[in-house]
Amino acid sequence: MDFVLRILVNLIEIYQWTLIIYILMSWFPNARETAIGQFLARICEPYLDPFRRIIPPLGMIDISPIVAFLVLNFATKGLYQLFSWF
C-alpha cells in the first residue's frame, strides 16, 4: 500500500510543478502559444477553470491558482490520512 501512496503523492507533486511552470509562462509574451505552452494548457486548464469560475480575478491578479494549490495540498494530506488507516 505504501508503494501506491508514494506513486499518488509523486503524481500530485509533478502536477504541482506543471502548474507552476504553466503559471510562470503567463509572464512571458507568447510563451503559451508554443508547443509546450499548448501542451501544458491542455493539462492545466481543465483543473484551473472551475476555480476561475468561482474566484474572480482581482484586477490583473488571478488568485485561483493559489486555491488550486491548496486543494492539491489537502488532497495529499487526505491521501496520507486515508492510507494511515490501512
Side-chain angles (χ1 to χ4, degrees):
M1 285 303 244
D2 190 45
F3 178 71
V4 175
L5 175 64
R6 287 303 326 148
I7 289 176
L8 292 173
V9 170
N10 285 338
L11 286 174
I12 291 174
E13 288 176 4
I14 290 169
Y15 193 70
Q16 286 177 333
W17 281 108
T18 305
L19 283 172
I20 289 170
I21 293 168
Y22 180 69
I23 292 165
L24 290 177
M25 287 180 82
S26 69
W27 294 359
F28 301 101
N30 299 325
R32 288 190 177 174
E33 283 76 33
T34 64
I36 295 171
Q38 291 174 358
F39 173 72
L40 292 176
R42 283 195 310 259
I43 295 171
C44 298
E45 283 298 327
Y47 179 67
L48 291 173
D49 277 341
F51 297 105
R52 288 186 178 139
R53 278 189 237 126
I54 296 170
I55 305 164
L58 300 173
M60 294 293 291
I61 299 172
D62 183 15
I63 61 169
S64 60
I66 296 170
V67 178
F69 279 107
L70 287 174
V71 169
L72 286 175
N73 192 18
F74 287 140
T76 302
K77 291 181 181 187
L79 283 172
Y80 278 118
Q81 185 65 36
L82 180 68
F83 278 85
S84 72
W85 291 340
F86 295 109

